[in-house]
Amino acid sequence: MPIFREQVKKMTLKDYLTKLKIGLPKTMVHLDKQVYEAGSVINGTIEITGGLIKNKIKRYDIDLVEIDSQAFVEETLNSHSVFCSLECSPNQTGKIPFLINVPDDIKKNQNTFQYSLMINIDLGNANNITQNVPIMIGVVS
C-alpha cells in the first residue's frame, strides 16, 4: 500500500499579507479641472504610494463611464489601458499621468446621467486596486 505525502506549500509573510490584501499601495487621483465639456480632454495623474511590501504594477486601466440613474445602465464611453512594468516600492510615491477624451456626443439630459472615471491597477499577484472618481461634464449647447 503506497503512502502519499501531501506537499505543503510554505507561505511567506509576503504571501500571507498579499492574500489578505494588507499593505497594498494606496492611490489618489488628481484632475486638472472640476468640470469638463463634451469634446474636451481629461488630464490627470494617478499618485501611488507604496504599501508595506514591494509590488509591481503590470497594467492600469482608465474608463470614462456614463451611468443612467433612471434606467440603472452603465456604459463605457472611452477606455485607456496601459501594459507596463512599474516598481512600487514601500513608502515611496510615484505618479502616472494620463489623458482621456470626453466624446463629443455626450447625452443632453444632465439630470439622469452621472459620469465617473473607473481606475483599475493590476498588481499581477491576483490583487487589484480599484478607484471610482466622480467627474462633472457640462454639455455645451
Short mmCIF file of all heavy atoms in Angstrom, two decimals, residues 29-91:
data_model
loop_
_atom_site.label_atom_id
_atom_site.label_comp_id
_atom_site.label_asym_id
_atom_site.label_seq_id
_atom_site.Cartn_x
_atom_site.Cartn_y
_atom_site.Cartn_z
N VAL A 29 -6.19 60.16 -7.07
CA VAL A 29 -6.31 60.67 -8.44
C VAL A 29 -6.46 62.19 -8.39
O VAL A 29 -7.29 62.71 -7.65
CB VAL A 29 -7.51 60.02 -9.16
CG1 VAL A 29 -7.67 60.59 -10.56
CG2 VAL A 29 -7.34 58.51 -9.21
N HIS A 30 -5.65 62.87 -9.18
CA HIS A 30 -5.70 64.34 -9.29
C HIS A 30 -6.11 64.70 -10.71
O HIS A 30 -5.53 64.18 -11.67
CB HIS A 30 -4.33 64.95 -8.97
CG HIS A 30 -3.80 64.57 -7.63
ND1 HIS A 30 -4.25 65.13 -6.46
CD2 HIS A 30 -2.86 63.65 -7.27
CE1 HIS A 30 -3.59 64.59 -5.44
NE2 HIS A 30 -2.75 63.69 -5.91
N LEU A 31 -7.10 65.59 -10.84
CA LEU A 31 -7.57 66.04 -12.15
C LEU A 31 -7.25 67.52 -12.32
O LEU A 31 -7.17 68.26 -11.34
CB LEU A 31 -9.07 65.79 -12.30
CG LEU A 31 -9.52 64.34 -12.15
CD1 LEU A 31 -11.04 64.23 -12.19
CD2 LEU A 31 -8.89 63.47 -13.21
N ASP A 32 -7.12 67.96 -13.58
CA ASP A 32 -6.74 69.34 -13.86
C ASP A 32 -7.89 70.33 -13.74
O ASP A 32 -7.66 71.52 -13.59
CB ASP A 32 -6.08 69.45 -15.24
CG ASP A 32 -7.03 69.10 -16.38
OD1 ASP A 32 -7.98 68.32 -16.15
OD2 ASP A 32 -6.82 69.59 -17.50
N LYS A 33 -9.16 69.86 -13.82
CA LYS A 33 -10.32 70.76 -13.74
C LYS A 33 -11.41 70.15 -12.88
O LYS A 33 -11.40 68.95 -12.62
CB LYS A 33 -10.91 71.01 -15.14
CG LYS A 33 -10.06 71.78 -16.10
CD LYS A 33 -10.92 72.18 -17.29
CE LYS A 33 -10.36 71.61 -18.57
NZ LYS A 33 -11.18 71.92 -19.73
N GLN A 34 -12.38 70.96 -12.52
CA GLN A 34 -13.54 70.49 -11.77
C GLN A 34 -14.65 70.02 -12.71
O GLN A 34 -15.33 69.05 -12.44
CB GLN A 34 -14.10 71.62 -10.88
CG GLN A 34 -13.14 72.08 -9.81
CD GLN A 34 -12.96 71.05 -8.72
OE1 GLN A 34 -13.88 70.31 -8.40
NE2 GLN A 34 -11.75 70.98 -8.19
N VAL A 35 -14.84 70.75 -13.84
CA VAL A 35 -15.92 70.45 -14.78
C VAL A 35 -15.32 70.35 -16.19
O VAL A 35 -14.50 71.19 -16.58
CB VAL A 35 -17.01 71.56 -14.75
CG1 VAL A 35 -18.12 71.26 -15.75
CG2 VAL A 35 -17.59 71.72 -13.36
N TYR A 36 -15.76 69.34 -16.93
CA TYR A 36 -15.30 69.13 -18.30
C TYR A 36 -16.47 69.32 -19.25
O TYR A 36 -17.62 69.22 -18.86
CB TYR A 36 -14.71 67.72 -18.46
CG TYR A 36 -13.47 67.53 -17.63
CD1 TYR A 36 -13.54 67.04 -16.34
CD2 TYR A 36 -12.23 67.88 -18.13
CE1 TYR A 36 -12.41 66.89 -15.57
CE2 TYR A 36 -11.08 67.74 -17.37
CZ TYR A 36 -11.18 67.24 -16.09
OH TYR A 36 -10.05 67.11 -15.33
N GLU A 37 -16.15 69.58 -20.52
CA GLU A 37 -17.17 69.77 -21.54
C GLU A 37 -17.06 68.65 -22.57
O GLU A 37 -16.02 67.99 -22.68
CB GLU A 37 -16.97 71.11 -22.24
CG GLU A 37 -17.14 72.30 -21.33
CD GLU A 37 -16.80 73.60 -22.03
OE1 GLU A 37 -16.31 73.57 -23.18
OE2 GLU A 37 -17.03 74.65 -21.42
N ALA A 38 -18.13 68.45 -23.33
CA ALA A 38 -18.11 67.47 -24.41
C ALA A 38 -16.99 67.83 -25.39
O ALA A 38 -16.82 68.99 -25.75
CB ALA A 38 -19.45 67.44 -25.12
N GLY A 39 -16.20 66.85 -25.77
CA GLY A 39 -15.10 67.09 -26.70
C GLY A 39 -13.80 67.52 -26.06
O GLY A 39 -12.80 67.67 -26.75
N SER A 40 -13.78 67.71 -24.76
CA SER A 40 -12.55 68.13 -24.08
C SER A 40 -11.71 66.91 -23.68
O SER A 40 -12.09 65.77 -23.89
CB SER A 40 -12.88 68.99 -22.86
OG SER A 40 -13.52 68.21 -21.87
N VAL A 41 -10.57 67.19 -23.12
CA VAL A 41 -9.64 66.13 -22.69
C VAL A 41 -9.48 66.20 -21.18
O VAL A 41 -9.26 67.28 -20.61
CB VAL A 41 -8.26 66.31 -23.37
CG1 VAL A 41 -7.26 65.29 -22.85
CG2 VAL A 41 -8.39 66.18 -24.87
N ILE A 42 -9.60 65.06 -20.53
CA ILE A 42 -9.36 64.97 -19.08
C ILE A 42 -7.88 64.70 -18.90
O ILE A 42 -7.34 63.71 -19.39
CB ILE A 42 -10.20 63.84 -18.44
CG1 ILE A 42 -11.69 64.13 -18.64
CG2 ILE A 42 -9.85 63.69 -16.97
CD1 ILE A 42 -12.59 62.99 -18.21
N ASN A 43 -7.21 65.61 -18.20
CA ASN A 43 -5.79 65.50 -17.93
C ASN A 43 -5.64 65.21 -16.44
O ASN A 43 -6.04 66.02 -15.61
CB ASN A 43 -5.09 66.81 -18.31
CG ASN A 43 -3.60 66.74 -18.17
OD1 ASN A 43 -3.04 65.72 -17.77
ND2 ASN A 43 -2.94 67.83 -18.50
N GLY A 44 -5.09 64.06 -16.10
CA GLY A 44 -5.00 63.70 -14.70
C GLY A 44 -3.73 62.97 -14.36
O GLY A 44 -2.91 62.64 -15.23
N THR A 45 -3.58 62.70 -13.06
CA THR A 45 -2.42 61.99 -12.55
C THR A 45 -2.89 61.00 -11.49
O THR A 45 -3.70 61.36 -10.63
CB THR A 45 -1.41 62.97 -11.91
OG1 THR A 45 -1.05 63.95 -12.88
CG2 THR A 45 -0.17 62.27 -11.43
N ILE A 46 -2.37 59.79 -11.55
CA ILE A 46 -2.61 58.81 -10.50
C ILE A 46 -1.37 58.81 -9.62
O ILE A 46 -0.27 58.54 -10.09
CB ILE A 46 -2.83 57.39 -11.08
CG1 ILE A 46 -3.97 57.38 -12.08
CG2 ILE A 46 -3.08 56.39 -9.95
CD1 ILE A 46 -4.06 56.09 -12.89
N GLU A 47 -1.55 59.16 -8.37
CA GLU A 47 -0.44 59.18 -7.42
C GLU A 47 -0.50 57.88 -6.61
O GLU A 47 -1.50 57.58 -5.98
CB GLU A 47 -0.57 60.39 -6.50
CG GLU A 47 0.57 60.56 -5.54
CD GLU A 47 0.39 61.83 -4.72
OE1 GLU A 47 0.35 62.92 -5.32
OE2 GLU A 47 0.29 61.70 -3.50
N ILE A 48 0.58 57.11 -6.65
CA ILE A 48 0.62 55.81 -5.98
C ILE A 48 1.69 55.84 -4.89
O ILE A 48 2.85 56.14 -5.17
CB ILE A 48 0.94 54.68 -6.98
CG1 ILE A 48 -0.11 54.66 -8.08
CG2 ILE A 48 1.00 53.34 -6.26
CD1 ILE A 48 0.20 53.70 -9.19
N THR A 49 1.25 55.54 -3.67
CA THR A 49 2.17 55.45 -2.54
C THR A 49 2.29 53.98 -2.17
O THR A 49 1.30 53.32 -1.90
CB THR A 49 1.66 56.26 -1.34
OG1 THR A 49 1.48 57.62 -1.76
CG2 THR A 49 2.64 56.21 -0.18
N GLY A 50 3.52 53.47 -2.19
CA GLY A 50 3.78 52.06 -1.93
C GLY A 50 3.32 51.63 -0.55
O GLY A 50 3.29 52.42 0.39
N GLY A 51 2.95 50.38 -0.44
CA GLY A 51 2.47 49.82 0.82
C GLY A 51 3.61 49.24 1.64
O GLY A 51 4.73 49.73 1.61
N LEU A 52 3.32 48.15 2.33
CA LEU A 52 4.31 47.54 3.21
C LEU A 52 5.32 46.67 2.46
O LEU A 52 6.44 46.49 2.92
CB LEU A 52 3.60 46.67 4.26
CG LEU A 52 2.69 47.42 5.22
CD1 LEU A 52 1.97 46.43 6.13
CD2 LEU A 52 3.50 48.41 6.05
N ILE A 53 4.89 46.13 1.33
CA ILE A 53 5.77 45.24 0.58
C ILE A 53 5.95 45.77 -0.85
O ILE A 53 5.14 46.54 -1.34
CB ILE A 53 5.22 43.80 0.54
CG1 ILE A 53 3.80 43.78 -0.02
CG2 ILE A 53 5.27 43.15 1.90
CD1 ILE A 53 3.19 42.41 -0.13
N LYS A 54 7.02 45.33 -1.49
CA LYS A 54 7.30 45.76 -2.86
C LYS A 54 6.33 45.09 -3.81
O LYS A 54 6.07 43.89 -3.73
CB LYS A 54 8.73 45.38 -3.22
CG LYS A 54 9.21 45.92 -4.52
CD LYS A 54 10.68 45.58 -4.71
CE LYS A 54 11.23 46.21 -5.96
NZ LYS A 54 12.65 45.92 -6.09
N ASN A 55 5.74 45.87 -4.71
CA ASN A 55 4.81 45.37 -5.71
C ASN A 55 5.27 45.82 -7.09
O ASN A 55 6.07 46.74 -7.21
CB ASN A 55 3.39 45.91 -5.46
CG ASN A 55 2.70 45.22 -4.33
OD1 ASN A 55 2.29 44.08 -4.45
ND2 ASN A 55 2.56 45.91 -3.20
N LYS A 56 4.71 45.19 -8.09
CA LYS A 56 4.98 45.59 -9.46
C LYS A 56 3.65 45.82 -10.15
O LYS A 56 2.78 44.96 -10.12
CB LYS A 56 5.77 44.52 -10.19
CG LYS A 56 6.22 44.95 -11.58
CD LYS A 56 7.11 43.93 -12.20
CE LYS A 56 8.52 44.23 -11.77
NZ LYS A 56 9.53 43.50 -12.51
N ILE A 57 3.49 46.99 -10.75
CA ILE A 57 2.27 47.31 -11.48
C ILE A 57 2.42 46.73 -12.88
O ILE A 57 3.33 47.09 -13.62
CB ILE A 57 2.04 48.83 -11.53
CG1 ILE A 57 1.86 49.37 -10.12
CG2 ILE A 57 0.83 49.16 -12.40
CD1 ILE A 57 1.83 50.87 -10.03
N LYS A 58 1.52 45.82 -13.24
CA LYS A 58 1.56 45.15 -14.54
C LYS A 58 0.73 45.88 -15.59
O LYS A 58 1.04 45.85 -16.77
CB LYS A 58 1.03 43.72 -14.43
CG LYS A 58 1.76 42.86 -13.44
CD LYS A 58 2.99 42.30 -14.05
CE LYS A 58 3.65 41.36 -13.05
NZ LYS A 58 4.71 40.62 -13.60
N ARG A 59 -0.37 46.50 -15.15
CA ARG A 59 -1.28 47.15 -16.09
C ARG A 59 -2.16 48.13 -15.31
O ARG A 59 -2.44 47.92 -14.15
CB ARG A 59 -2.16 46.11 -16.76
CG ARG A 59 -3.07 46.67 -17.82
CD ARG A 59 -3.98 45.62 -18.40
NE ARG A 59 -5.17 45.52 -17.55
CZ ARG A 59 -5.77 44.39 -17.23
NH1 ARG A 59 -5.30 43.24 -17.64
NH2 ARG A 59 -6.83 44.39 -16.47
N TYR A 60 -2.57 49.20 -15.99
CA TYR A 60 -3.60 50.05 -15.42
C TYR A 60 -4.61 50.41 -16.50
O TYR A 60 -4.28 50.55 -17.66
CB TYR A 60 -3.03 51.28 -14.70
CG TYR A 60 -2.24 52.23 -15.56
CD1 TYR A 60 -2.85 53.31 -16.19
CD2 TYR A 60 -0.88 52.08 -15.71
CE1 TYR A 60 -2.12 54.19 -16.96
CE2 TYR A 60 -0.14 52.95 -16.48
CZ TYR A 60 -0.77 54.00 -17.10
OH TYR A 60 -0.04 54.87 -17.88
N ASP A 61 -5.87 50.48 -16.08
CA ASP A 61 -6.98 50.78 -16.97
C ASP A 61 -7.71 52.01 -16.45
O ASP A 61 -7.94 52.13 -15.24
CB ASP A 61 -7.98 49.61 -17.01
CG ASP A 61 -7.33 48.30 -17.37
OD1 ASP A 61 -6.63 48.26 -18.39
OD2 ASP A 61 -7.53 47.32 -16.64
N ILE A 62 -8.09 52.88 -17.37
CA ILE A 62 -8.88 54.06 -17.03
C ILE A 62 -10.08 54.07 -17.96
O ILE A 62 -9.92 54.08 -19.18
CB ILE A 62 -8.06 55.35 -17.19
CG1 ILE A 62 -6.80 55.28 -16.32
CG2 ILE A 62 -8.90 56.58 -16.83
CD1 ILE A 62 -5.77 56.32 -16.61
N ASP A 63 -11.27 54.04 -17.39
CA ASP A 63 -12.50 54.04 -18.17
C ASP A 63 -13.34 55.26 -17.80
O ASP A 63 -13.52 55.55 -16.62
CB ASP A 63 -13.35 52.79 -17.88
CG ASP A 63 -12.63 51.50 -18.23
OD1 ASP A 63 -11.84 51.52 -19.18
OD2 ASP A 63 -12.88 50.49 -17.56
N LEU A 64 -13.83 55.95 -18.82
CA LEU A 64 -14.81 57.02 -18.61
C LEU A 64 -16.17 56.37 -18.73
O LEU A 64 -16.52 55.82 -19.78
CB LEU A 64 -14.64 58.13 -19.65
CG LEU A 64 -15.67 59.26 -19.61
CD1 LEU A 64 -15.67 59.96 -18.25
CD2 LEU A 64 -15.41 60.25 -20.73
N VAL A 65 -16.93 56.40 -17.65
CA VAL A 65 -18.19 55.65 -17.57
C VAL A 65 -19.35 56.62 -17.39
O VAL A 65 -19.26 57.59 -16.63
CB VAL A 65 -18.14 54.66 -16.39
CG1 VAL A 65 -19.45 53.91 -16.26
CG2 VAL A 65 -17.00 53.69 -16.56
N GLU A 66 -20.44 56.33 -18.12
CA GLU A 66 -21.68 57.09 -18.01
C GLU A 66 -22.70 56.19 -17.30
O GLU A 66 -22.90 55.05 -17.69
CB GLU A 66 -22.16 57.45 -19.41
CG GLU A 66 -23.52 58.09 -19.46
CD GLU A 66 -23.94 58.31 -20.90
OE1 GLU A 66 -24.35 57.33 -21.56
OE2 GLU A 66 -23.85 59.46 -21.36
N ILE A 67 -23.32 56.72 -16.26
CA ILE A 67 -24.30 55.95 -15.50
C ILE A 67 -25.65 56.63 -15.64
O ILE A 67 -25.80 57.79 -15.29
CB ILE A 67 -23.91 55.85 -14.02
CG1 ILE A 67 -22.53 55.20 -13.90
CG2 ILE A 67 -24.93 55.06 -13.23
CD1 ILE A 67 -21.63 55.83 -12.92
N ASP A 68 -26.63 55.88 -16.17
CA ASP A 68 -28.00 56.38 -16.27
C ASP A 68 -28.71 55.96 -14.99
O ASP A 68 -29.01 54.78 -14.79
CB ASP A 68 -28.69 55.78 -17.49
CG ASP A 68 -30.08 56.36 -17.73
OD1 ASP A 68 -30.63 57.02 -16.81
OD2 ASP A 68 -30.62 56.15 -18.83
N SER A 69 -28.96 56.93 -14.11
CA SER A 69 -29.53 56.62 -12.79
C SER A 69 -31.00 56.18 -12.87
O SER A 69 -31.48 55.52 -11.96
CB SER A 69 -29.38 57.81 -11.85
OG SER A 69 -30.00 58.95 -12.39
N GLN A 70 -31.71 56.52 -13.93
CA GLN A 70 -33.11 56.10 -14.06
C GLN A 70 -33.22 54.67 -14.58
O GLN A 70 -34.02 53.89 -14.11
CB GLN A 70 -33.88 57.06 -14.96
CG GLN A 70 -34.15 58.39 -14.31
CD GLN A 70 -34.99 59.30 -15.19
OE1 GLN A 70 -35.12 59.08 -16.39
NE2 GLN A 70 -35.55 60.34 -14.59
N ALA A 71 -32.42 54.34 -15.59
CA ALA A 71 -32.51 53.01 -16.20
C ALA A 71 -31.54 52.02 -15.56
O ALA A 71 -31.55 50.85 -15.90
CB ALA A 71 -32.22 53.11 -17.69
N PHE A 72 -30.71 52.49 -14.63
CA PHE A 72 -29.70 51.65 -13.97
C PHE A 72 -28.79 50.96 -15.00
O PHE A 72 -28.53 49.77 -14.92
CB PHE A 72 -30.35 50.61 -13.05
CG PHE A 72 -31.18 51.22 -11.97
CD1 PHE A 72 -32.56 51.15 -12.03
CD2 PHE A 72 -30.58 51.89 -10.91
CE1 PHE A 72 -33.34 51.73 -11.04
CE2 PHE A 72 -31.35 52.47 -9.93
CZ PHE A 72 -32.74 52.40 -9.99
N VAL A 73 -28.33 51.76 -15.97
CA VAL A 73 -27.47 51.26 -17.04
C VAL A 73 -26.14 51.99 -16.95
O VAL A 73 -26.08 53.21 -16.78
CB VAL A 73 -28.12 51.48 -18.42
CG1 VAL A 73 -27.19 51.07 -19.54
CG2 VAL A 73 -29.44 50.74 -18.51
N GLU A 74 -25.07 51.23 -17.11
CA GLU A 74 -23.73 51.79 -17.10
C GLU A 74 -23.10 51.53 -18.46
O GLU A 74 -23.15 50.42 -18.98
CB GLU A 74 -22.92 51.10 -16.00
CG GLU A 74 -21.59 51.71 -15.74
CD GLU A 74 -20.91 51.06 -14.55
OE1 GLU A 74 -21.35 51.27 -13.41
OE2 GLU A 74 -19.95 50.32 -14.79
N GLU A 75 -22.51 52.58 -19.05
CA GLU A 75 -21.90 52.45 -20.38
C GLU A 75 -20.51 53.07 -20.35
O GLU A 75 -20.31 54.16 -19.83
CB GLU A 75 -22.77 53.18 -21.41
CG GLU A 75 -22.23 53.11 -22.82
CD GLU A 75 -23.05 53.92 -23.81
OE1 GLU A 75 -24.12 54.43 -23.45
OE2 GLU A 75 -22.61 54.04 -24.96
N THR A 76 -19.56 52.36 -20.94
CA THR A 76 -18.19 52.88 -21.04
C THR A 76 -18.10 53.76 -22.29
O THR A 76 -18.34 53.30 -23.40
CB THR A 76 -17.18 51.73 -21.13
OG1 THR A 76 -17.31 50.91 -19.97
CG2 THR A 76 -15.77 52.26 -21.20
N LEU A 77 -17.77 55.03 -22.08
CA LEU A 77 -17.68 55.98 -23.19
C LEU A 77 -16.30 55.98 -23.83
O LEU A 77 -16.17 56.17 -25.04
CB LEU A 77 -18.00 57.39 -22.70
CG LEU A 77 -19.39 57.60 -22.09
CD1 LEU A 77 -19.52 59.00 -21.55
CD2 LEU A 77 -20.46 57.30 -23.11
N ASN A 78 -15.27 55.80 -23.02
CA ASN A 78 -13.90 55.80 -23.52
C ASN A 78 -13.06 54.98 -22.56
O ASN A 78 -13.32 54.96 -21.37
CB ASN A 78 -13.37 57.23 -23.63
CG ASN A 78 -12.22 57.35 -24.60
OD1 ASN A 78 -11.65 56.35 -25.02
ND2 ASN A 78 -11.87 58.57 -24.95
N SER A 79 -12.07 54.32 -23.10
CA SER A 79 -11.24 53.44 -22.28
C SER A 79 -9.78 53.58 -22.68
O SER A 79 -9.47 53.82 -23.85
CB SER A 79 -11.70 51.99 -22.47
OG SER A 79 -11.00 51.14 -21.61
N HIS A 80 -8.92 53.43 -21.69
CA HIS A 80 -7.48 53.56 -21.92
C HIS A 80 -6.79 52.52 -21.05
O HIS A 80 -6.94 52.51 -19.84
CB HIS A 80 -7.07 54.99 -21.52
CG HIS A 80 -5.62 55.28 -21.69
ND1 HIS A 80 -5.04 55.48 -22.92
CD2 HIS A 80 -4.62 55.41 -20.79
CE1 HIS A 80 -3.75 55.74 -22.75
NE2 HIS A 80 -3.48 55.70 -21.47
N SER A 81 -6.04 51.60 -21.67
CA SER A 81 -5.31 50.57 -20.94
C SER A 81 -3.84 50.65 -21.29
O SER A 81 -3.48 50.85 -22.46
CB SER A 81 -5.82 49.17 -21.30
OG SER A 81 -7.15 49.02 -20.89
N VAL A 82 -2.99 50.47 -20.29
CA VAL A 82 -1.55 50.51 -20.49
C VAL A 82 -0.93 49.30 -19.81
O VAL A 82 -1.12 49.09 -18.61
CB VAL A 82 -0.92 51.81 -19.92
CG1 VAL A 82 0.58 51.78 -20.04
CG2 VAL A 82 -1.50 53.03 -20.60
N PHE A 83 -0.21 48.49 -20.59
CA PHE A 83 0.56 47.39 -20.04
C PHE A 83 1.94 47.94 -19.71
O PHE A 83 2.56 48.61 -20.53
CB PHE A 83 0.67 46.24 -21.04
CG PHE A 83 -0.63 45.55 -21.26
CD1 PHE A 83 -1.48 45.94 -22.27
CD2 PHE A 83 -1.00 44.49 -20.45
CE1 PHE A 83 -2.69 45.30 -22.48
CE2 PHE A 83 -2.21 43.85 -20.64
CZ PHE A 83 -3.06 44.25 -21.66
N CYS A 84 2.41 47.67 -18.50
CA CYS A 84 3.66 48.25 -18.07
C CYS A 84 4.35 47.32 -17.07
O CYS A 84 3.84 46.26 -16.74
CB CYS A 84 3.42 49.63 -17.45
SG CYS A 84 2.32 49.59 -16.03
N SER A 85 5.47 47.75 -16.59
CA SER A 85 6.20 47.03 -15.56
C SER A 85 6.83 48.08 -14.65
O SER A 85 8.01 48.40 -14.76
CB SER A 85 7.27 46.14 -16.19
OG SER A 85 7.96 45.44 -15.19
N LEU A 86 6.00 48.63 -13.76
CA LEU A 86 6.45 49.70 -12.88
C LEU A 86 6.64 49.16 -11.47
O LEU A 86 5.79 48.47 -10.95
CB LEU A 86 5.42 50.83 -12.85
CG LEU A 86 5.11 51.53 -14.17
CD1 LEU A 86 3.94 52.48 -14.01
CD2 LEU A 86 6.33 52.28 -14.66
N GLU A 87 7.77 49.49 -10.88
CA GLU A 87 8.04 49.09 -9.49
C GLU A 87 7.28 50.01 -8.54
O GLU A 87 7.16 51.21 -8.77
CB GLU A 87 9.54 49.20 -9.18
CG GLU A 87 10.40 48.25 -9.97
CD GLU A 87 10.26 46.81 -9.51
OE1 GLU A 87 9.96 46.58 -8.32
OE2 GLU A 87 10.43 45.92 -10.36
N CYS A 88 6.75 49.42 -7.50
CA CYS A 88 6.05 50.18 -6.46
C CYS A 88 6.68 49.79 -5.13
O CYS A 88 6.30 48.80 -4.50
CB CYS A 88 4.56 49.84 -6.51
SG CYS A 88 3.56 50.89 -5.48
N SER A 89 7.68 50.55 -4.73
CA SER A 89 8.45 50.24 -3.53
C SER A 89 7.75 50.75 -2.28
O SER A 89 7.01 51.73 -2.33
CB SER A 89 9.84 50.86 -3.63
OG SER A 89 10.53 50.32 -4.74
N PRO A 90 8.01 50.09 -1.15
CA PRO A 90 7.38 50.52 0.11
C PRO A 90 7.67 51.98 0.45
O PRO A 90 8.80 52.44 0.30
CB PRO A 90 8.00 49.59 1.15
CG PRO A 90 8.42 48.39 0.39
CD PRO A 90 8.83 48.91 -0.97
N ASN A 91 6.64 52.66 0.87
CA ASN A 91 6.71 54.04 1.36
C ASN A 91 7.31 55.03 0.37
O ASN A 91 7.82 56.07 0.77
CB ASN A 91 7.45 54.09 2.69
CG ASN A 91 6.75 53.26 3.74
OD1 ASN A 91 5.53 53.25 3.81
ND2 ASN A 91 7.51 52.53 4.53
#
